[in-house]
């Protein structure tokens, strides 16, 4: 954890899933302006993945960072998917991304291939962190255990070896659930040092994560990067919750959170960011955006002063856990 914190000197980075044309087609100029806004604001940690638009987010990030000193920023990407030259019909999160076929593969060979492809798209000769992507029930259903075993004997060993050699600074899982991270941290033959957990340590969702995953992370002295701190935008009035529709009960909770925030003059964005970063196991939070002006908003939200009474009211109304670390 100390080595991770030495690299991630800020609590905030930029997540680039939206730059892969998630949910909509993002013009190149807008994508580049967003990355430039992050850089100009002093953000120096960038997370990406081949899955984000079939390599589109990596290409866009590489275009911008190619003109920067490699020692001046921290970069993470993911393995588990290989981008092919052939094309396919797209649907789902990245239907507006590139048309290249995406093959899911957690083997050792595919891991090496994925890393090489990513470095080419990112125009870099090295990566800092590598996450094994979407090795989770929400993507693979009942087959996820078999995929986990494929990664345990493939990707995990490759990344652990690269970490031991000093080729990368750290590795772990990048998932939207917690159980795969818990399992990986309990393995004896490999040693994940940093994992990216999206959607499950947010102002909206954190009870199970606090009870199960976070103790495992702290015991193993590893670290967590929090992704999707706004629950895919649901907390900020968006149309998506954890990459899908917003269920009625979740909307009810959002309305209650909003009411308490307004009564204390607190922005929900500030509450969301500061809540996710307050846990000692969290090394960074990586909100994503395609709007340049949102970058400064995020930084201002981290600096906003939030009264203790706000957090106490959330606890009293059982809107957050009474045992969650708070930014007091």
């Amino acid at each position: 954890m100390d080595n991770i914190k030495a690299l991630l000197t800020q609590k905030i980075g930029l997540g680039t899933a939206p730059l892969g044309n998630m949910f909509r087609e993002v013009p190149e100029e807008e994508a580049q302006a967003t990355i430039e806004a992050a850089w100009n604001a002093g953000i120096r940690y960038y997370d990406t993945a081949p899955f984000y638009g079939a390599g589109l987010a990596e290409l866009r990030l590489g275009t911008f960072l190619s003109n920067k000193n490699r020692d001046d920023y921290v970069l993470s990407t993911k393995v588990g998917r290989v981008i092919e030259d052939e094309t396919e019909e797209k649907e789902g999160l990245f239907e507006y991304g590139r048309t290249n076929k995406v093959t899911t593969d957690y083997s050792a060979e595919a891991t090496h291939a994925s890393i090489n492809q990513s470095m080419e798209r990112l125009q870099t000769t090295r990566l800092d962190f590598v996450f094994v992507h979407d090795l989770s029930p929400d993507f693979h259903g009942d087959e996820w255990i078999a995929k986990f075993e494929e990664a345990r004997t493939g990707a995990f060993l490759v990344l652990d070896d690269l970490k031991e050699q000093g080729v990368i600074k750290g590795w772990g899982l990048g998932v939207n659930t917690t159980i795969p991270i818990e399992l990986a941290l309990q393995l004896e033959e490999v040693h994940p040092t940093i994992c990216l957990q999206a959607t499950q340590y947010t102002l909206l969702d954190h009870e199970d994560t606090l009870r199960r995953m976070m103790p495992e992370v702290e015991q193993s002295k590893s670290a967590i990067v929090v992704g999707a701190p706004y629950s895919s935008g649901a907390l900020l009035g968006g149309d998506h919750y954890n990459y899908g529709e917003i269920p009625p009960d979740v909307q009810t909770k959002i309305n209650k959170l909003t009411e308490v925030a307004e009564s204390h003059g607190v922005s929900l964005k500030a509450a969301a960011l500061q809540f996710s970063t307050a846990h000692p196991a969290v090394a960074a939070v990586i909100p994503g955006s395609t709007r340049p002006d949102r970058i400064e908003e995020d930084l201002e939200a981290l600096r906003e002063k939030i009264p203790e009474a706000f957090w106490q009211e959330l606890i009293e109304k059982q809107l957050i856990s009474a045992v969650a670390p708070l930014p007091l």
Side-chain angles (χ1 to χ4, degrees):
M1 180 66 167
D2 290 341
N3 292 337
I4 301 299
K5 285 185 174 180
L7 276 175
L8 297 177
T9 55
Q10 297 172 294
K11 277 283 192 175
I12 190 168
L14 179 68
T16 63
L19 302 182
N21 285 1
M22 185 168 69
F23 299 129
R24 71 181 182 94
E25 191 161 343
V26 179
E28 185 67 26
E29 298 78 13
E30 186 178 330
Q32 292 301 319
T34 300
I35 304 170
E36 183 176 16
W39 183 273
N40 290 343
I43 290 174
R44 293 296 182 267
Y45 172 40
Y46 303 89
D47 175 73
T48 190
F51 184 53
Y52 302 159
L56 180 59
E58 288 184 321
L59 286 166
R60 286 172 161 173
L61 189 58
T63 296
F64 181 85
L65 293 177
S66 64
N67 295 316
K68 305 300 180 184
N69 186 325
R70 182 61 185 86
D71 293 333
D72 289 345
Y73 61 89
V74 178
L75 184 61
S76 62
T77 191
K78 304 178 183 74
V79 296
R81 294 186 175 94
V82 177
I83 309 302
E84 312 287 357
D85 290 332
E86 61 183 292
T87 62
E88 63 182 357
E89 289 291 323
K90 296 292 181 177
E91 59 182 14
L93 291 178
F94 296 103
E95 64 176 300
Y96 301 104
R98 297 199 308 161
T99 59
N100 297 67
K101 182 179 179 181
V102 179
T103 300
T104 300
D105 193 333
Y106 297 102
S107 68
E109 182 180 3
T111 299
H112 283 295
S114 179
I115 288 174
N116 289 335
Q117 286 184 354
S118 288
M119 288 194 298
E120 183 176 349
R121 286 189 291 267
L122 289 163
Q123 301 185 49
T124 186
T125 57
R126 73 177 193 268
L127 303 169
D128 295 300
F129 307 133
V130 179
F131 301 116
V132 184
H133 206 189
D134 292 330
L135 189 59
S136 181
D138 58 322
F139 271 87
H140 301 298
D142 293 340
E143 293 184 6
W144 87 269
I145 291 294
K147 295 292 185 184
F148 188 94
E149 182 63 15
E150 180 182 303
R152 187 186 69 80
T153 58
F156 291 3
L157 295 178
V158 170
L159 297 177
D160 212 47
D161 186 50
L162 292 176
K163 167 66 170 59
E164 288 300 308
Q165 293 178 42
V167 176
I168 59 176
K169 303 295 195 308
W171 73 276
L173 276 66
V175 289
N176 302 327
T177 60
T178 61
I179 292 177
I181 293 176
E182 294 165 32
L183 289 178
L185 291 174
Q186 292 167 9
L187 295 174
E188 295 183 0
E189 67 269 29
V190 292
H191 308 88
T193 52
I194 181 169
C195 291
L196 196 166
Q197 207 300 307
T199 75
Q200 298 303 307
Y201 196 69
T202 69
L203 199 62
L204 273 177
D205 301 292
H206 56 267
E207 297 273 0
D208 288 345
T209 304
L210 270 174
R211 186 173 64 252
R212 297 174 47 143
M213 188 190 80
M214 287 308 201
E216 290 283 352
V217 173
E218 291 186 290
Q219 184 176 348
S220 67
K221 297 182 179 179
S222 58
I224 290 292
V225 173
V226 172
Y230 310 133
S231 300
S232 297
L235 272 170
L236 306 182
D239 298 326
H240 299 94
Y241 164 73
N242 296 353
Y243 312 114
E245 295 182 0
I246 305 176
D249 61 322
V250 172
Q251 187 60 59
T252 297
K253 185 175 182 179
I254 292 170
N255 294 343
K256 292 178 179 179
L257 287 166
T258 302
E259 183 179 330
V260 175
E262 289 177 348
S263 71
H264 289 274
V266 171
S267 77
L268 215 50
K269 173 176 274 194
L273 277 183
Q274 293 187 33
F275 177 87
S276 290
T277 57
H279 198 290
V282 173
V285 62
I286 49 169
S289 180
T290 59
R291 310 291 190 188
D293 58 332
R294 300 280 169 81
I295 305 299
E296 188 56 42
E297 283 182 15
D298 290 341
L299 292 172
E300 289 177 0
L302 272 181
R303 296 189 292 261
E304 184 176 320
K305 298 294 184 183
I306 299 179
E308 183 176 350
F310 166 76
W311 300 111
Q312 292 305 321
E313 185 170 348
L314 293 187
I315 292 172
E316 290 166 7
K317 292 186 173 179
Q318 298 184 332
L319 292 172
I320 63 171
S321 169
V323 298
L326 297 174
L328 301 176

